[in-house]
Amino acid sequence: MNSFSFGTKAETLSYLFQHKEMIGAEVLRPFFFTVEDWKNNAEHIYKQISNRLSDVDRLIVRSSAQCEDSVTESMAGKYESVLCDNTEEAFKNAVAQVIQSYGIIQSDEQVLVQEAIENVQSSGVVFTFDPNTGGRYYVINYDDSTGLTSSITSGTGKAAKLYYWFVNDCLYPDDKILQSICNSVQSIENLLGHDALDIEYLVSNGILYILQARPLILKNGKNDKTQKDVLKRLSDKIKYENRSKPFLFGKRTIYGVMPDWNPAEMIGIHPQNLSTSLYKEIITDEVWAYQRDNYGYKKLRSFPLMVDFCGFPYIDVRVSFNSFIPADLDTAIAEKLVNYYLDRLEEAPDKHDKVEFDIVFSCYTFDLLKRIKVLEKYGFTKDEIEEIVNSLRSLTNKIIDNEKGLWKQDASKLNILDTRRKDIHESGLNDIDKAFWLLEDCKRYGTLPFAGLARAGFIAVQLLKSMVAEGIITQKESEAFMNDLQTVSSTMKSDYALLSKKEFLLKYGFLRPGTYDICSKRYDEAPEIYFSWKEKNSLEETEKKKDKFRLSLAQMERIRSTLREHQMDDDVLGLFSFIKGAIEGREWAKFIFTRNVSEILKHLGDWGERYGYCREEMAFSSIQIVKEAYNGALDEKNVIAQSIRAGKIKYMEGNGIVLPPVIIDAKDIFGFFIPDSQPTFVTLNKVAGAIWKIENNREGNLEDKILLIESADPGYDWIFSHHIKGFITKYGGANSHMAIRAGELALPAVIGTGQKLFDKLLQADFVEIDPSLKQVRILR
């Protein structure tokens, strides 16, 4: 490798132009001159350029300031680039605009001129490292639809694509253009002797043009030492798992961060080990499967739902899809159905956070007979479809039954959890013993019934949506019903107005924004961060006028006849009692078992401090050390130390790694697109307001702001006490807790924007949410 010293933009392009045969791409000849040259010889400069480019209709006049493209800062976008006709007047005006953009003008500042390329097929930017993680990926952000050359750099590309390619010598992108870009960029690295580059390019008439190459500034440094080995190991694991398995329907599997118990929303994309192990222990290893089995679905009690790929939690989608199969469904049909689900997700990976809404048939609804007809297009016979429908109807009838429905029994178990927790709290047990029993009780009396109530709550929401789809009730009436619900957030809002600070924190102080994160402070540990006690609103101010939900006699009769038509119990009041009870019960169950989780983390933090380990260190440990210490006379400090050490190794192994949200094939981990997300919009209310980035700043005046939250769970309920206008989350689904709470409070929200849109919003100051058009507009 040569060691090239970067000069100005123009000087670097001149070097590339001289060596373009070595980089496998075209470089337009650069012409450049200083401000002083232009001041003294403008006529001569234009004459020289126009003679050299006499057959060119349009020119691009670009900045090439001394302070641009340095190894310490790029100044990207600070100065002008002007497209102009190849006429003297237009050219002089363009040069004047560029020079004017320099502000304080130095005589040695340069101006760069090149031929303007027409018929642009694609234009974009390549980073040779992921600037966020330092991972050795080519991050290619491009626009292949508008024909513009600046849509990516200006941030205006509405149809932009984002592609990650791990730099290696064996697996190149399938797309020929992407393949040529990767090859050319590798050649530029070798030519310049620098591997951290920011390169702009365009493609016209199948020819790749390099427009700019500058140093890529990595704030967190490079992180590429062990990535190849880690990804190879993951690739081998995924290849092995993509086969038929005993006791599971489906010929292969898919992995996703959002389906089913969506770990991306609950614990994050790359959580520390304590969060992951705790989530697995109390939900995704066994508890989830026990409750699906109890509710009439396929028995999967020995199948973990969530896998851990070097610190990145993924849902095994084949296992998830199996768990939505009614237990009494014919096995041949079940096999066919799971393979259908997997194929549909492969066709539309952007639906990974909405599989139960857009792909899977997991319960009976009033519009099921219409929706399920799609199976006819994929080889299902009418008899097979009828059998699926009958199984779903039977399963749903049993779940929603007001007398024998399991959801009522599950709701009653929460009282046991509450009582036992108080007994544990008042006992003389030490921290580790308390943590052990809180953990065991959390599974038996907390997450187990919660999983059932969550299933019932999903069915309730689906039934309500199907009434809207079938025209039985309107969308406005559906929202009025949700507004009438008495759930945790509505109670919390009124309590915030009525209770004293001490009383409020006694009731809600255990909540923390990161439910499974030991480093996330509880409300009672840092109340001033989450609440503005000096500006507390009165109860009247907290209550907005709500449309009351009322059914007319005609509607009740129609629902009754619809229930009979669908061979369901025709008790209309009983149906709405179930819908109300299941949705409220689900939220209440989450609130109750979350207290156990919070107390477990508190005891673990105190236990670690006794041996000299802070919470940040304990976050790397595993929840399994609670069992180890409880069941044996061990050296507790050594148990903690070993667990932290192992957790740190695993976490560091994942540093620098970027994985796709959906993994369909082993090669996907080496090259993948970040899919366009289809966010969920809550309410029909249009709203506009200033953006408040909650990750960066939890203090200040949140009133009338639209909040940006990467992934929100009920620990973020404190935001509702600030009269916000709405909120937007990067992760989350249509049936997530925050979606339900937003509907209950008639608060406009956008749930699950995905990475690309969320990153754009982070740069915005003022946005508009228009749910009726399903759009988020950046206003400034």
Side-chain angles (χ1 to χ4, degrees):
M1 266 194 180
N2 297 318
S3 184
F4 172 79
S5 296
F6 284 94
T8 63
K9 183 189 304 181
E11 290 163 354
T12 299
L13 273 175
S14 293
Y15 186 81
L16 292 177
F17 176 76
Q18 294 165 22
H19 299 85
K20 61 183 181 179
E21 71 283 352
M22 299 175 62
I23 64 174
E26 188 63 47
V27 180
L28 296 168
R29 181 171 183 174
F31 299 89
F32 62 97
F33 48 87
T34 66
V35 170
E36 185 174 6
D37 290 337
W38 178 253
K39 188 176 180 180
N40 297 327
N41 299 291
E43 301 282 344
H44 178 68
I45 289 171
Y46 173 69
K47 189 175 290 186
Q48 276 192 318
I49 292 174
S50 63
N51 286 339
R52 297 268 184 96
L53 299 174
S54 59
D55 59 340
V56 173
D57 293 329
R58 308 198 80 193
L59 303 173
I60 183 76
V61 182
R62 307 170 66 190
S63 65
S64 182
Q66 299 292 336
C67 62
E68 285 184 279
D69 301 353
S70 74
V71 295
T72 57
E73 57 181 341
S74 71
M75 306 295 283
K78 182 175 178 63
Y79 305 122
E80 292 284 348
S81 290
V82 181
L83 191 66
C84 70
D85 293 331
N86 191 0
T87 65
E88 186 171 357
E89 182 180 0
F91 179 75
K92 287 182 176 179
N93 287 336
V95 173
Q97 286 183 58
V98 171
I99 292 175
Q100 188 65 33
S101 72
Y102 291 157
I104 299 173
I105 302 168
Q106 303 294 329
S107 61
D108 62 346
E109 297 289 16
Q110 297 172 349
V111 177
L112 166 66
V113 182
Q114 291 175 291
E115 171 188 348
I117 298 296
E118 308 291 343
N119 303 316
V120 175
Q121 295 170 251
S122 172
S123 65
V125 177
V126 183
F127 294 155
T128 59
F129 279 83
D130 178 5
N132 297 312
T133 67
R136 187 63 162 126
Y137 293 84
Y138 284 178
V139 184
I140 308 175
N141 195 192
Y142 66 97
D143 172 2
D144 61 359
S145 61
T146 67
L148 300 174
T149 59
S150 62
S151 60
I152 298 300
T153 52
S154 67
T156 59
K158 295 181 179 178
K161 295 178 180 177
L162 183 59
Y163 184 77
Y164 278 75
W165 179 67
F166 179 73
V167 180
N168 60 83
D169 300 321
C170 51
L171 281 172
Y172 281 87
D174 293 331
D175 183 271
K176 295 299 182 184
I177 291 179
L178 288 174
Q179 192 176 115
S180 67
I181 291 168
C182 291
N183 279 320
S184 179
V185 170
Q186 284 183 304
S187 297
I188 292 172
E189 286 184 35
N190 290 328
L191 173 66
L192 300 183
H194 293 270
D195 58 3
L197 299 172
D198 171 354
I199 295 173
E200 292 180 27
Y201 74 89
L202 66 78
V203 178
S204 174
N205 299 319
I207 300 172
L208 173 64
Y209 294 85
I210 301 301
L211 303 181
Q212 184 170 337
R214 60 188 175 201
L216 176 65
I217 300 162
L218 298 171
K219 295 294 185 183
N220 298 318
K222 300 174 184 177
N223 199 340
D224 62 343
K225 293 186 175 168
T226 61
Q227 291 172 353
K228 190 171 183 178
D229 292 339
V230 172
L231 292 180
K232 177 64 167 59
R233 193 165 74 242
L234 288 180
S235 174
D236 291 342
K237 173 67 173 175
I238 292 163
K239 283 178 184 175
Y240 178 80
E241 294 296 328
N242 260 314
R243 65 181 69 197
S244 296
K245 282 196 167 186
F247 319 119
L248 273 181
F249 300 124
K251 59 189 176 184
R252 60 187 173 122
T253 192
I254 293 174
Y255 298 98
V257 299
M258 284 297 289
D260 217 342
W261 284 89
N262 47 23
E265 180 185 3
M266 301 313 301
I267 58 176
I269 294 296
H270 188 205
Q272 290 164 315
N273 195 44
L274 183 57
S275 296
T276 302
S277 61
L278 179 56
Y279 195 59
K280 286 169 67 71
E281 176 70 18
I282 67 174
I283 294 176
T284 66
D285 273 353
E286 296 177 343
V287 168
W288 77 281
Y290 271 69
Q291 204 61 302
R292 295 264 166 98
D293 179 18
N294 291 343
Y295 273 60
Y297 294 95
K298 176 175 167 59
K299 187 174 184 178
L300 292 164
R301 295 193 175 198
S302 298
F303 290 91
L305 179 66
M306 190 174 80
V307 297
D308 186 343
F309 288 160
C310 299
F312 294 82
Y314 278 81
I315 295 298
D316 186 331
V317 179
R318 173 170 52 184
V319 173
S320 171
F321 285 166
N322 270 259
S323 76
F324 294 129
I325 298 295
D328 63 355
L329 187 63
D330 176 81
T331 56
I333 298 175
E335 173 73 18
K336 193 172 180 179
L337 195 56
V338 170
N339 283 321
Y340 162 80
Y341 293 154
L342 291 166
D343 290 344
R344 298 294 73 73
L345 180 57
E346 181 176 1
E347 286 178 0
D350 58 303
K351 296 186 184 297
H352 71 120
D353 60 338
K354 302 175 182 65
V355 292
E356 274 201 82
F357 290 97
D358 296 340
I359 294 176
V360 172
F361 304 107
S362 63
C363 64
Y364 191 89
T365 58
F366 299 120
D367 60 349
L368 177 65
L369 297 178
K370 292 179 181 177
R371 292 187 296 113
I372 207 166
K373 283 184 179 180
V374 69
L375 294 181
E376 293 178 4
K377 298 178 183 179
Y378 295 94
F380 285 80
T381 67
K382 290 185 177 180
D383 287 344
E384 288 173 331
I385 293 172
E386 184 179 0
E387 188 165 341
I388 295 169
V389 168
N390 289 337
S391 288
L392 290 173
R393 182 190 292 115
S394 174
L395 177 147
T396 303
N397 277 332
K398 289 176 183 176
I399 292 173
I400 71 176
D401 187 284
N402 258 317
E403 297 293 327
K404 302 176 183 177
L406 283 176
W407 67 278
K408 284 199 166 184
Q409 297 176 36
D410 282 334
S412 66
K413 292 178 183 177
L414 298 171
N415 295 326
I416 301 174
L417 180 67
D418 209 27
T419 300
R420 288 175 65 94
R421 184 182 58 252
K422 291 173 183 175
D423 290 343
I424 294 169
H425 178 71
E426 294 170 2
S427 72
L429 298 175
N430 61 28
D431 283 318
I432 200 62
D433 285 6
K434 285 181 177 179
F436 175 83
W437 284 110
L438 287 167
L439 183 65
E440 291 302 304
D441 280 0
C442 187
K443 292 185 287 184
R444 187 175 296 109
Y445 304 111
T447 53
L448 186 62
F450 166 71
L453 287 164
R455 174 80 345 226
F458 175 83
I459 293 171
V461 171
Q462 285 285 71
L463 285 169
L464 196 64
K465 287 179 179 291
S466 71
M467 288 186 212
V468 175
E470 291 298 291
I472 299 171
I473 63 174
T474 66
Q475 179 64 33
K476 190 174 182 180
E477 287 170 329
S478 172
E479 290 186 9
F481 179 85
M482 295 295 289
N483 288 341
D484 277 344
L485 296 176
Q486 295 298 311
T487 59
V488 173
S489 56
S490 58
T491 304
M492 182 178 175
K493 196 167 186 180
S494 60
D495 282 347
Y496 179 68
L498 291 171
L499 300 179
S500 67
K501 178 179 177 180
K502 182 178 180 181
E503 291 170 326
F504 181 84
L505 291 177
L506 192 63
K507 186 173 182 180
Y508 299 101
F510 68 88
L511 289 171
R512 58 178 95 216
T515 300
Y516 301 88
D517 181 4
I518 194 171
C519 299
S520 178
K521 291 186 180 297
R522 293 164 40 130
Y523 286 1
D524 56 11
E525 291 174 336
E528 305 305 331
I529 292 178
Y530 303 113
F531 302 97
S532 179
W533 301 98
K534 294 179 181 179
E535 301 174 7
K536 197 165 74 164
N537 302 306
S538 67
L539 181 60
E540 291 77 16
E541 289 176 313
T542 67
E543 292 184 345
K544 297 179 180 179
K545 289 184 179 179
K546 299 178 181 179
D547 295 324
K548 292 295 182 182
F549 178 75
R550 297 286 186 272
L551 285 175
S552 67
L553 290 175
Q555 283 177 311
M556 290 187 69
E557 187 51 43
R558 182 175 178 189
I559 295 171
R560 186 175 290 110
S561 62
T562 301
L563 286 166
R564 290 170 182 163
E565 177 188 340
H566 288 271
Q567 302 173 44
M568 300 174 77
D569 189 335
D570 65 358
D571 180 2
V572 178
L573 294 180
L575 173 65
F576 278 91
S577 175
F578 160 74
I579 296 174
K580 176 179 170 65
I583 297 174
E584 290 180 345
R586 163 188 152 144
E587 299 304 297
W588 180 246
K590 177 69 182 286
F591 180 74
I592 294 297
F593 91 73
T594 294
R595 183 184 284 272
N596 268 51
V597 174
S598 188
E599 293 295 329
I600 291 166
L601 293 176
K602 186 176 186 304
H603 287 301
L604 276 175
D606 293 344
W607 185 45
E609 284 180 12
R610 191 186 320 142
Y611 292 105
Y613 296 105
C614 64
R615 290 185 181 187
E616 286 72 20
E617 291 174 301
M618 291 298 291
F620 290 103
S621 68
S622 168
I623 196 64
Q624 298 306 317
I625 60 175
V626 173
K627 293 182 179 181
E628 291 179 34
Y630 180 83
N631 289 325
L634 305 176
D635 180 340
E636 293 185 359
K637 184 173 183 178
N638 187 50
V639 168
I640 296 172
Q642 288 183 353
S643 185
I644 290 173
R645 193 178 305 119
K648 283 184 177 179
I649 290 171
K650 186 172 78 168
Y651 187 81
M652 294 300 292
E653 191 176 58
N655 276 352
I657 296 293
V658 182
L659 295 175
V662 180
I663 302 173
I664 296 168
D665 187 89
K667 67 179 182 180
D668 292 345
I669 66 171
F670 294 104
F672 54 89
F673 285 95
I674 299 294
D676 289 323
S677 185
Q678 298 177 19
T680 296
F681 289 79
V682 182
T683 84
L684 294 177
N685 305 324
K686 186 175 179 180
V687 67
I691 282 288
W692 188 274
K693 304 167 184 67
I694 211 70
E695 286 83 5
N696 299 330
N697 193 350
R698 289 178 179 171
E699 298 180 313
N701 183 10
L702 274 61
E703 186 171 350
D704 291 330
K705 303 294 195 304
I706 294 175
L707 308 188
L708 283 183
I709 309 170
E710 182 160 291
S711 58
D713 61 26
Y716 280 92
D717 273 348
W718 61 273
I719 67 177
F720 300 131
S721 66
H722 289 272
H723 282 297
I724 63 173
K725 282 191 172 181
F727 68 93
I728 301 170
T729 73
K730 183 175 180 180
Y731 301 111
N735 204 39
S736 68
H737 300 288
M738 293 301 278
I740 287 175
R741 293 179 181 188
E744 164 209 325
L745 297 170
L747 187 68
V750 186
I751 309 292
T753 64
Q755 180 174 321
K756 289 195 289 186
L757 176 55
F758 194 83
D759 287 350
K760 287 182 181 179
L761 294 171
L762 283 172
Q763 307 305 315
D765 293 318
F766 207 90
V767 302
E768 178 185 72
I769 299 172
D770 190 341
S772 63
L773 296 179
K774 298 192 181 302
Q775 288 184 339
V776 181
R777 300 186 184 94
I778 297 175
L779 302 183
R780 77 169 175 264

